[in-house]
Amino acid sequence: RSTPIKSSAASDVYKRQKLNILALALFGFGLASCTNSFLDVESKTESSTGNYYKTESDAYRALVGCYDGWQCTTSNKGVGFYLASEMMSDECFGATGVADGRNYQVIDRFDQAQSTSDLNIYETDWKNYYAAVYRCNELISRADDINWTSEATRGTYIGEARAIRALCYFDMVRLWENIPLLDIPTTDNISQANPDDVYQLIISDLKYAAENIPANAYPKAQAASNDGHITKYAAEALLARVYLFYSGYYGKEPAGLTRAEALAGVEDVIASGEFGLIDEFKNLWPAASVTWTTNNDGSHTKTNTYAGRGNVETVLAQKFNYTSDYNGNADGNAWQVMIALRNLIAVPYGQGWGGCTVNPKLVNSFQSGDTRSTASIIDCEAEGLVDHDNFSLLYNDQREYTGYAIKKYSPLAIWQQAEDGTWSEINEVMGKDIGAGEYQLSPYQDFIVVRYSDVLLMAAELGSPNAQSYLDAVRDRAFGGDTSKRVTATKENILKERMYEFAFEGLRYWDLLRQGVEVAASEIAETRTVLSGGVEDVVTIQSSKVVSTRGLCQIPYNQINLSNGVLKQNAGW
C-alpha cells in the first residue's frame, strides 16, 4: 500500500454518478475511484450503505475514496486550483495556443469580456470538489457505526477525512467565497453560506486532525509506504495557512483560531524533527535536477540529483499516478501538460499546451546568485531552446509568448531516437522506467501542498522569536550558503521571500490577496507587449477588474440555473 490514492475495492464501493445538480454530491453509495487499484485485492461482495461502514477495513477503503476524491479535483481536469492560482497571480499569463479559446484570458484578466460565451469555466471544478466533499461527509457521518479497534485508528482515519474536507472547502471558499456548505452527505439545494461559517468548519476539521491523528501515525522515515497521507503536522501547517489568509483578506481573526494557536502549530512542526530543508533548491524539482548530455559517440549521459518523492522537505503532497493510455481512468497530474512547452519536446522538458507563460517582471526581479531562478524558470534563450530544430512549432503557435516557462512542474521527456526516426522514453527521473506514455495523460509529478520552508516562513511571519533564523535558513540555501544576502525578518521581507521561494507553487496569488484586494490589484495590473504566433500582442490587466471581483472567481452559470435561483453570482462576473 504505497500511496493512499486508489483502491479497486473502493471502485466497487464508490459508484460514480453524473454530477449535474447544485450540491454535486452523489446518490446511493458514493463514487467510483477515478483510476485502477493501488491495493492487491478485489471486493468479493457488492457493497452498499446497508452492509458497509462496519469494520476498520471498510473505513480504510472509504478513506482511500476520500483521497481519491481530493485527487480527482485535479486529475478529472477542469481548470484546477493550481492553474487558476497561477493565472490570477502576477507570475503568469493565461497563454495557450493562438487559435485556442480565451477562457484562460478571462481568468488571467478577471474580465468576462475576454470570452462572453465562457460562462461555465469552473463547472468541472465545482462538481469535482463537491463530489470529494460528499465522500468525506459519508465517512465522517458513519464514524459511530464502525467497530473501531482503537481510538487512535478512529482519530487517524476520521482526522484524515476531515482534513481532506477542509482542504477542499479552503480551495472553494478562496475561489468563490459564496458557496453552499454541506457537512453531511446530502443532495439538498441549499443557499450559499456565510464564508465565516465555511472557515469555522475548515478550522474545526483541521483542529480535529491535528489533535487526533497521532504524531507517529505516518512517520517521515517511512515515507516510501505512507507518503501522501495527511499527518498531524500537515494539519498544523494548514491551520497556519488558513489563519494567515483569513486574517489578511478579512482583516480580523477567524473564529476558533488565534494567532498564538497558529504559531504554536507550526512551531510544533519545526520541533518535531521530522522535516528539514533539502541542501540544494533545484533538487526539489524533477525538471531542475536532471541534466542530459550527448556524448561524442552519440550515447547519452543523464545526471539526476532529484531528492525524490516524499523527501524530508515535503510536509504534504497531493499524489498522482502514471497513466499510459485512454482506459477510462484519470490518474495523472492533469495540469502539468497545460503548462508544458507548446508543441515542443526539448529534453528534458516534455511537450504540452503552453499555458501560464511566465511574466518577465518576476524573472527580472530575482537577485543575482539566487539559485531559485534557474530552478524555477525555463529560459528559452539561455537554455538554447530557441535553437532547437522544432522551436518554430512552439513559437508560431504560442499565445502570449514571453520567452519563459514554468520549470518546477514541467513534465519530463527523457527520450532517445531510433534509426527509423521514432522516439521513445528511456528513463524517468521519479524512479520508473515507463516507456513512451501519452503525453497528455502521463505526467504524474506530486503537487507539493506544503513544504518545510513554507512552515519556517509562516512561523516567522506569525511572530516566532526565531523568525530571523528561520528566514536566514531559507535565504542561505537560496544563495548557495552566501550569508551576505541575509535580510532582516520584517513582514515585508518575509512576504518578498515567499515570492521567490514559492514561485509557481500556487501560493503567490493568495499571498497577494491576503495583503488586501487593492494591494493585489496594484501588483497584478499591468500592460505588457508579448508575442502571439510571433506577432506583437498586448496583455492588459486592469486593477479595477481585480477590485470589482474582490479577487474572486466566476461561479458556473449552469449551477446558478440548476439551483432555480438559489445561488447568486459573485460581483464583477
Side-chain angles (χ1 to χ4, degrees):
R1 296 177 178 178
S2 59
T3 55
I5 299 299
K6 303 293 185 241
S7 166
S8 56
S11 293
D12 292 333
V13 174
Y14 297 104
K15 303 298 183 182
R16 185 178 305 282
Q17 305 291 331
K18 292 183 179 179
L19 307 175
N20 60 356
I21 60 173
L22 161 69
L24 305 169
L26 304 174
F27 298 98
F29 197 54
L31 289 152
S33 166
C34 58
T35 188
N36 289 332
S37 172
F38 83 90
L39 299 179
D40 297 327
V41 296
E42 295 287 341
S43 176
K44 301 301 182 184
T45 61
E46 191 69 23
S47 298
S48 70
T49 52
N51 62 20
Y52 201 64
Y53 293 114
K54 303 298 183 185
T55 68
E56 284 185 354
S57 177
D58 293 342
Y60 183 77
R61 289 166 61 203
L63 178 61
V64 169
C66 295
Y67 275 104
D68 176 50
W70 179 41
Q71 184 204 62
C72 285
T73 62
T74 292
S75 61
N76 273 4
K77 303 198 175 180
V79 175
F81 185 80
Y82 173 84
L83 289 179
S85 300
E86 286 305 313
M87 284 185 276
M88 290 188 293
S89 76
D90 58 347
E91 296 178 319
C92 298
F93 299 121
T96 67
V98 292
D100 288 342
R102 296 186 65 83
N103 55 323
Y104 278 19
Q105 280 61 46
V106 173
I107 297 170
D108 182 38
R109 307 184 196 186
F110 299 83
D111 186 2
Q112 190 67 63
Q114 292 292 319
S115 181
T116 56
S117 62
D118 276 313
L119 301 177
N120 297 290
I121 293 172
Y122 290 103
E123 184 166 35
T124 297
D125 304 281
W126 183 279
K127 293 178 179 181
N128 289 339
Y129 275 115
Y130 276 107
V133 165
Y134 188 94
R135 296 189 189 192
C136 296
N137 285 340
E138 185 74 31
L139 173 55
I140 294 164
S141 70
R142 301 280 182 165
D144 291 340
D145 299 333
I146 295 166
N147 182 24
W148 301 101
T149 61
S150 72
E151 284 301 310
T153 304
R154 174 180 176 138
T156 300
Y157 291 3
I158 300 303
E160 289 177 80
R162 290 185 64 167
I164 294 167
R165 181 171 70 179
L167 280 162
C168 291
Y169 271 126
F170 189 40
D171 285 357
M172 286 194 286
V173 77
R174 284 181 291 170
L175 287 171
W176 302 299
E177 186 179 61
N178 302 297
I179 58 174
L181 179 60
L182 305 169
D183 60 359
I184 59 173
T186 178
T187 60
D188 289 348
N189 181 9
I190 65 173
S191 60
Q192 290 144 301
N194 184 317
D196 282 352
D197 294 335
V198 180
Y199 277 98
Q200 284 185 37
L201 181 67
I202 292 168
I203 290 166
S204 175
D205 280 349
L206 290 175
K207 278 191 169 183
Y208 180 95
E211 294 165 2
N212 288 277
I213 301 175
N216 63 353
Y218 302 110
K220 191 66 178 173
Q222 298 174 16
S225 61
N226 63 35
D227 186 32
H229 278 283
I230 296 170
T231 64
K232 163 187 175 67
Y233 302 117
E236 289 175 329
L238 290 167
L239 276 166
R241 182 175 291 176
V242 170
Y243 178 89
L244 285 168
F245 181 79
Y246 182 95
S247 61
Y249 187 70
Y250 294 103
K252 60 182 181 180
E253 278 200 336
L257 181 63
T258 66
R259 176 178 289 266
E261 287 177 309
L263 175 57
V266 282
E267 293 282 30
D268 188 52
V269 178
I270 295 166
S272 73
E274 293 268 306
F275 309 96
L277 297 177
I278 295 297
D279 289 342
E280 291 187 68
F281 185 82
K282 71 178 183 64
N283 295 336
L284 288 164
W285 316 105
S289 57
V290 61
T291 57
W292 189 254
T293 56
T294 302
N295 304 317
N296 292 333
D297 62 359
S299 62
H300 299 85
T301 300
K302 184 189 73 175
T303 302
N304 173 24
T305 57
Y306 176 46
R309 305 174 98 184
N311 62 65
V312 70
E313 192 159 338
T314 302
V315 178
L316 177 61
Q318 188 178 39
K319 305 293 292 181
F320 299 95
N321 296 339
Y322 171 70
T323 302
S324 59
D325 54 38
Y326 290 98
N327 57 6
N329 299 313
D331 203 23
N333 190 332
W335 49 253
Q336 275 193 270
V337 71
M338 293 305 305
I339 65 169
L341 297 169
R342 182 81 184 181
N343 299 331
L344 179 66
I345 297 171
V347 174
Y349 313 123
Q351 68 174 319
W353 301 123
C356 296
T357 52
V358 172
N359 192 332
K361 180 180 76 170
L362 173 62
V363 180
N364 296 331
S365 70
F366 275 92
Q367 282 184 264
S368 175
D370 191 336
T371 63
R372 294 172 296 194
S373 177
T374 55
S376 304
I377 300 164
I378 298 171
D379 184 328
C380 292
E381 183 172 352
E383 297 187 36
L385 272 63
V386 296
D387 299 320
H388 193 285
D389 290 345
N390 293 323
F391 184 71
S392 62
L393 296 177
L394 180 156
Y395 187 76
N396 293 331
D397 194 32
Q398 176 71 67
R399 176 184 286 159
E400 296 166 5
Y401 173 78
T402 64
Y404 304 104
I406 296 172
K407 183 180 290 187
K408 282 183 176 177
Y409 284 110
S410 172
L412 298 173
I414 313 301
W415 298 71
Q416 67 179 1
Q417 191 171 28
E419 291 183 1
D420 64 1
T422 60
W423 291 79
S424 61
E425 191 169 14
I426 61 172
N427 207 339
E428 204 279 334
V429 171
M430 288 183 285
K432 187 184 294 185
D433 291 326
I434 58 176
E438 158 53 54
Y439 74 95
Q440 296 183 76
L441 299 174
S442 58
Y444 71 102
Q445 184 176 336
D446 291 351
F447 175 52
I448 309 302
V449 180
V450 182
R451 284 199 284 120
Y452 184 62
S453 60
D454 192 7
V455 172
L456 292 175
L457 292 181
M458 286 193 294
E461 187 179 346
L462 286 164
S464 170
N466 301 312
Q468 189 64 55
S469 63
Y470 294 162
L471 176 59
D472 289 347
V474 173
R475 195 163 175 82
D476 288 354
R477 177 180 65 176
F479 287 91
D482 183 354
T483 59
S484 70
K485 302 293 188 179
R486 291 179 177 178
V487 296
T488 304
T490 62
K491 181 175 180 178
E492 180 183 2
N493 284 337
I494 292 166
L495 286 168
K496 189 173 183 180
E497 198 65 30
R498 291 181 64 86
M499 177 173 69
Y500 300 119
E501 179 71 14
F502 307 118
F504 318 115
E505 296 182 45
L507 295 179
R508 169 65 175 170
Y509 178 66
W510 310 108
D511 280 350
L512 284 174
L513 203 56
R514 67 184 175 88
Q515 295 176 62
V517 173
E518 296 283 354
V519 172
S522 66
E523 290 292 324
I524 293 167
E526 72 171 302
T527 297
R528 181 173 294 275
T529 300
V530 294
L531 295 173
S532 294
V535 177
E536 283 195 357
D537 190 8
V538 177
V539 173
T540 300
I541 303 173
Q542 301 176 49
S543 61
S544 60
K545 297 292 186 183
V546 183
V547 173
S548 66
T549 60
R550 295 180 50 245
L552 302 174
C553 301
Q554 172 208 87
I555 292 174
Y557 277 88
N558 279 348
Q559 296 306 310
I560 293 172
N561 293 335
L562 287 166
S563 76
N564 294 320
V566 172
L567 292 182
K568 308 299 181 185
Q569 185 58 268
N570 284 328
W573 294 104

PDB file of all heavy atoms in Angstrom, residues 45-65:
ATOM      1  N   THR A  45     -17.723  -9.018  -2.581  1.00  0.00           N
ATOM      2  CA  THR A  45     -19.164  -8.866  -2.415  1.00  0.00           C
ATOM      3  C   THR A  45     -19.561  -7.481  -2.834  1.00  0.00           C
ATOM      4  O   THR A  45     -18.760  -6.553  -2.859  1.00  0.00           O
ATOM      5  CB  THR A  45     -19.579  -9.093  -0.951  1.00  0.00           C
ATOM      6  OG1 THR A  45     -18.942  -8.123  -0.133  1.00  0.00           O
ATOM      7  CG2 THR A  45     -19.212 -10.486  -0.485  1.00  0.00           C
ATOM      8  N   GLU A  46     -20.800  -7.308  -3.168  1.00  0.00           N
ATOM      9  CA  GLU A  46     -21.318  -5.990  -3.512  1.00  0.00           C
ATOM     10  C   GLU A  46     -21.533  -5.190  -2.233  1.00  0.00           C
ATOM     11  O   GLU A  46     -22.148  -5.675  -1.290  1.00  0.00           O
ATOM     12  CB  GLU A  46     -22.640  -6.126  -4.265  1.00  0.00           C
ATOM     13  CG  GLU A  46     -23.119  -4.826  -4.883  1.00  0.00           C
ATOM     14  CD  GLU A  46     -22.237  -4.365  -6.033  1.00  0.00           C
ATOM     15  OE1 GLU A  46     -21.556  -5.211  -6.621  1.00  0.00           O
ATOM     16  OE2 GLU A  46     -22.254  -3.158  -6.324  1.00  0.00           O
ATOM     17  N   SER A  47     -20.994  -3.977  -2.202  1.00  0.00           N
ATOM     18  CA  SER A  47     -21.133  -3.144  -1.012  1.00  0.00           C
ATOM     19  C   SER A  47     -22.248  -2.133  -1.193  1.00  0.00           C
ATOM     20  O   SER A  47     -22.488  -1.646  -2.289  1.00  0.00           O
ATOM     21  CB  SER A  47     -19.823  -2.403  -0.732  1.00  0.00           C
ATOM     22  OG  SER A  47     -18.780  -3.311  -0.476  1.00  0.00           O
ATOM     23  N   SER A  48     -22.902  -1.803  -0.095  1.00  0.00           N
ATOM     24  CA  SER A  48     -23.946  -0.790  -0.114  1.00  0.00           C
ATOM     25  C   SER A  48     -23.944  -0.092   1.226  1.00  0.00           C
ATOM     26  O   SER A  48     -23.280  -0.525   2.168  1.00  0.00           O
ATOM     27  CB  SER A  48     -25.316  -1.433  -0.372  1.00  0.00           C
ATOM     28  OG  SER A  48     -25.709  -2.186   0.753  1.00  0.00           O
ATOM     29  N   THR A  49     -24.703   0.991   1.334  1.00  0.00           N
ATOM     30  CA  THR A  49     -24.778   1.691   2.609  1.00  0.00           C
ATOM     31  C   THR A  49     -25.390   0.823   3.695  1.00  0.00           C
ATOM     32  O   THR A  49     -25.212   1.085   4.874  1.00  0.00           O
ATOM     33  CB  THR A  49     -25.599   2.984   2.466  1.00  0.00           C
ATOM     34  OG1 THR A  49     -26.855   2.673   1.870  1.00  0.00           O
ATOM     35  CG2 THR A  49     -24.875   3.989   1.589  1.00  0.00           C
ATOM     36  N   GLY A  50     -26.090  -0.225   3.286  1.00  0.00           N
ATOM     37  CA  GLY A  50     -26.706  -1.097   4.281  1.00  0.00           C
ATOM     38  C   GLY A  50     -25.742  -2.066   4.920  1.00  0.00           C
ATOM     39  O   GLY A  50     -25.914  -2.444   6.078  1.00  0.00           O
ATOM     40  N   ASN A  51     -24.717  -2.510   4.165  1.00  0.00           N
ATOM     41  CA  ASN A  51     -23.813  -3.510   4.736  1.00  0.00           C
ATOM     42  C   ASN A  51     -22.380  -3.025   4.887  1.00  0.00           C
ATOM     43  O   ASN A  51     -21.489  -3.798   5.226  1.00  0.00           O
ATOM     44  CB  ASN A  51     -23.820  -4.794   3.886  1.00  0.00           C
ATOM     45  CG  ASN A  51     -23.317  -4.556   2.460  1.00  0.00           C
ATOM     46  OD1 ASN A  51     -22.627  -3.572   2.180  1.00  0.00           O
ATOM     47  ND2 ASN A  51     -23.666  -5.468   1.563  1.00  0.00           N
ATOM     48  N   TYR A  52     -22.185  -1.729   4.636  1.00  0.00           N
ATOM     49  CA  TYR A  52     -20.823  -1.193   4.680  1.00  0.00           C
ATOM     50  C   TYR A  52     -20.648  -0.345   5.938  1.00  0.00           C
ATOM     51  O   TYR A  52     -21.562  -0.214   6.753  1.00  0.00           O
ATOM     52  CB  TYR A  52     -20.578  -0.355   3.424  1.00  0.00           C
ATOM     53  CG  TYR A  52     -19.114  -0.177   3.092  1.00  0.00           C
ATOM     54  CD1 TYR A  52     -18.307  -1.268   2.757  1.00  0.00           C
ATOM     55  CD2 TYR A  52     -18.541   1.083   3.129  1.00  0.00           C
ATOM     56  CE1 TYR A  52     -16.979  -1.094   2.450  1.00  0.00           C
ATOM     57  CE2 TYR A  52     -17.200   1.266   2.830  1.00  0.00           C
ATOM     58  CZ  TYR A  52     -16.418   0.169   2.488  1.00  0.00           C
ATOM     59  OH  TYR A  52     -15.101   0.342   2.182  1.00  0.00           O
ATOM     60  N   TYR A  53     -19.442   0.214   6.117  1.00  0.00           N
ATOM     61  CA  TYR A  53     -19.099   1.031   7.283  1.00  0.00           C
ATOM     62  C   TYR A  53     -19.320   0.254   8.578  1.00  0.00           C
ATOM     63  O   TYR A  53     -19.962   0.738   9.510  1.00  0.00           O
ATOM     64  CB  TYR A  53     -19.915   2.330   7.298  1.00  0.00           C
ATOM     65  CG  TYR A  53     -19.556   3.271   6.175  1.00  0.00           C
ATOM     66  CD1 TYR A  53     -20.470   3.560   5.173  1.00  0.00           C
ATOM     67  CD2 TYR A  53     -18.293   3.863   6.110  1.00  0.00           C
ATOM     68  CE1 TYR A  53     -20.139   4.424   4.122  1.00  0.00           C
ATOM     69  CE2 TYR A  53     -17.957   4.712   5.070  1.00  0.00           C
ATOM     70  CZ  TYR A  53     -18.880   4.993   4.082  1.00  0.00           C
ATOM     71  OH  TYR A  53     -18.552   5.835   3.059  1.00  0.00           O
ATOM     72  N   LYS A  54     -18.760  -0.949   8.599  1.00  0.00           N
ATOM     73  CA  LYS A  54     -18.860  -1.772   9.803  1.00  0.00           C
ATOM     74  C   LYS A  54     -17.492  -1.997  10.437  1.00  0.00           C
ATOM     75  O   LYS A  54     -17.374  -2.025  11.654  1.00  0.00           O
ATOM     76  CB  LYS A  54     -19.507  -3.139   9.470  1.00  0.00           C
ATOM     77  CG  LYS A  54     -20.884  -3.049   8.828  1.00  0.00           C
ATOM     78  CD  LYS A  54     -21.897  -2.373   9.745  1.00  0.00           C
ATOM     79  CE  LYS A  54     -23.281  -2.354   9.108  1.00  0.00           C
ATOM     80  NZ  LYS A  54     -24.254  -1.604   9.940  1.00  0.00           N
ATOM     81  N   THR A  55     -16.460  -2.183   9.620  1.00  0.00           N
ATOM     82  CA  THR A  55     -15.141  -2.545  10.128  1.00  0.00           C
ATOM     83  C   THR A  55     -14.119  -1.464   9.807  1.00  0.00           C
ATOM     84  O   THR A  55     -14.354  -0.580   8.975  1.00  0.00           O
ATOM     85  CB  THR A  55     -14.669  -3.865   9.500  1.00  0.00           C
ATOM     86  OG1 THR A  55     -14.428  -3.644   8.098  1.00  0.00           O
ATOM     87  CG2 THR A  55     -15.713  -4.962   9.674  1.00  0.00           C
ATOM     88  N   GLU A  56     -12.957  -1.567  10.444  1.00  0.00           N
ATOM     89  CA  GLU A  56     -11.871  -0.638  10.129  1.00  0.00           C
ATOM     90  C   GLU A  56     -11.408  -0.799   8.688  1.00  0.00           C
ATOM     91  O   GLU A  56     -10.961   0.164   8.066  1.00  0.00           O
ATOM     92  CB  GLU A  56     -10.711  -0.845  11.093  1.00  0.00           C
ATOM     93  CG  GLU A  56     -10.963  -0.262  12.470  1.00  0.00           C
ATOM     94  CD  GLU A  56      -9.767  -0.370  13.387  1.00  0.00           C
ATOM     95  OE1 GLU A  56      -8.763  -1.008  12.993  1.00  0.00           O
ATOM     96  OE2 GLU A  56      -9.826   0.175  14.511  1.00  0.00           O
ATOM     97  N   SER A  57     -11.513  -2.014   8.173  1.00  0.00           N
ATOM     98  CA  SER A  57     -11.167  -2.233   6.765  1.00  0.00           C
ATOM     99  C   SER A  57     -12.106  -1.446   5.855  1.00  0.00           C
ATOM    100  O   SER A  57     -11.669  -0.832   4.868  1.00  0.00           O
ATOM    101  CB  SER A  57     -11.242  -3.727   6.428  1.00  0.00           C
ATOM    102  OG  SER A  57     -10.979  -3.947   5.054  1.00  0.00           O
ATOM    103  N   ASP A  58     -13.394  -1.457   6.204  1.00  0.00           N
ATOM    104  CA  ASP A  58     -14.354  -0.639   5.455  1.00  0.00           C
ATOM    105  C   ASP A  58     -13.957   0.839   5.534  1.00  0.00           C
ATOM    106  O   ASP A  58     -14.003   1.565   4.539  1.00  0.00           O
ATOM    107  CB  ASP A  58     -15.760  -0.796   6.034  1.00  0.00           C
ATOM    108  CG  ASP A  58     -16.330  -2.185   5.846  1.00  0.00           C
ATOM    109  OD1 ASP A  58     -15.821  -2.931   4.994  1.00  0.00           O
ATOM    110  OD2 ASP A  58     -17.300  -2.518   6.561  1.00  0.00           O
ATOM    111  N   ALA A  59     -13.610   1.271   6.735  1.00  0.00           N
ATOM    112  CA  ALA A  59     -13.260   2.670   6.935  1.00  0.00           C
ATOM    113  C   ALA A  59     -12.031   3.047   6.114  1.00  0.00           C
ATOM    114  O   ALA A  59     -11.977   4.139   5.530  1.00  0.00           O
ATOM    115  CB  ALA A  59     -13.011   2.950   8.409  1.00  0.00           C
ATOM    116  N   TYR A  60     -11.047   2.134   6.070  1.00  0.00           N
ATOM    117  CA  TYR A  60      -9.841   2.436   5.309  1.00  0.00           C
ATOM    118  C   TYR A  60     -10.148   2.549   3.817  1.00  0.00           C
ATOM    119  O   TYR A  60      -9.672   3.463   3.138  1.00  0.00           O
ATOM    120  CB  TYR A  60      -8.763   1.377   5.537  1.00  0.00           C
ATOM    121  CG  TYR A  60      -7.481   1.735   4.807  1.00  0.00           C
ATOM    122  CD1 TYR A  60      -6.628   2.703   5.311  1.00  0.00           C
ATOM    123  CD2 TYR A  60      -7.154   1.125   3.594  1.00  0.00           C
ATOM    124  CE1 TYR A  60      -5.471   3.064   4.638  1.00  0.00           C
ATOM    125  CE2 TYR A  60      -6.002   1.485   2.909  1.00  0.00           C
ATOM    126  CZ  TYR A  60      -5.158   2.447   3.442  1.00  0.00           C
ATOM    127  OH  TYR A  60      -4.031   2.811   2.760  1.00  0.00           O
ATOM    128  N   ARG A  61     -10.975   1.629   3.322  1.00  0.00           N
ATOM    129  CA  ARG A  61     -11.334   1.687   1.902  1.00  0.00           C
ATOM    130  C   ARG A  61     -12.091   2.988   1.598  1.00  0.00           C
ATOM    131  O   ARG A  61     -11.890   3.612   0.550  1.00  0.00           O
ATOM    132  CB  ARG A  61     -12.191   0.476   1.537  1.00  0.00           C
ATOM    133  CG  ARG A  61     -11.408  -0.845   1.518  1.00  0.00           C
ATOM    134  CD  ARG A  61     -12.348  -2.039   1.496  1.00  0.00           C
ATOM    135  NE  ARG A  61     -13.196  -2.047   0.317  1.00  0.00           N
ATOM    136  CZ  ARG A  61     -14.357  -2.683   0.252  1.00  0.00           C
ATOM    137  NH1 ARG A  61     -14.814  -3.329   1.315  1.00  0.00           N
ATOM    138  NH2 ARG A  61     -15.053  -2.673  -0.854  1.00  0.00           N
ATOM    139  N   ALA A  62     -12.953   3.390   2.514  1.00  0.00           N
ATOM    140  CA  ALA A  62     -13.675   4.646   2.322  1.00  0.00           C
ATOM    141  C   ALA A  62     -12.725   5.837   2.377  1.00  0.00           C
ATOM    142  O   ALA A  62     -12.883   6.810   1.634  1.00  0.00           O
ATOM    143  CB  ALA A  62     -14.758   4.796   3.385  1.00  0.00           C
ATOM    144  N   LEU A  63     -11.720   5.766   3.249  1.00  0.00           N
ATOM    145  CA  LEU A  63     -10.728   6.834   3.331  1.00  0.00           C
ATOM    146  C   LEU A  63      -9.943   6.941   2.028  1.00  0.00           C
ATOM    147  O   LEU A  63      -9.663   8.044   1.555  1.00  0.00           O
ATOM    148  CB  LEU A  63      -9.783   6.586   4.505  1.00  0.00           C
ATOM    149  CG  LEU A  63      -8.647   7.594   4.687  1.00  0.00           C
ATOM    150  CD1 LEU A  63      -9.203   9.000   4.936  1.00  0.00           C
ATOM    151  CD2 LEU A  63      -7.724   7.168   5.832  1.00  0.00           C
ATOM    152  N   VAL A  64      -9.608   5.792   1.450  1.00  0.00           N
ATOM    153  CA  VAL A  64      -8.943   5.801   0.142  1.00  0.00           C
ATOM    154  C   VAL A  64      -9.818   6.544  -0.869  1.00  0.00           C
ATOM    155  O   VAL A  64      -9.331   7.329  -1.688  1.00  0.00           O
ATOM    156  CB  VAL A  64      -8.657   4.365  -0.339  1.00  0.00           C
ATOM    157  CG1 VAL A  64      -8.221   4.346  -1.804  1.00  0.00           C
ATOM    158  CG2 VAL A  64      -7.583   3.720   0.519  1.00  0.00           C
ATOM    159  N   GLY A  65     -11.132   6.307  -0.798  1.00  0.00           N
ATOM    160  CA  GLY A  65     -12.052   7.020  -1.682  1.00  0.00           C
ATOM    161  C   GLY A  65     -12.038   8.517  -1.455  1.00  0.00           C
ATOM    162  O   GLY A  65     -12.205   9.305  -2.389  1.00  0.00           O
TER     163      GLY A  65
END
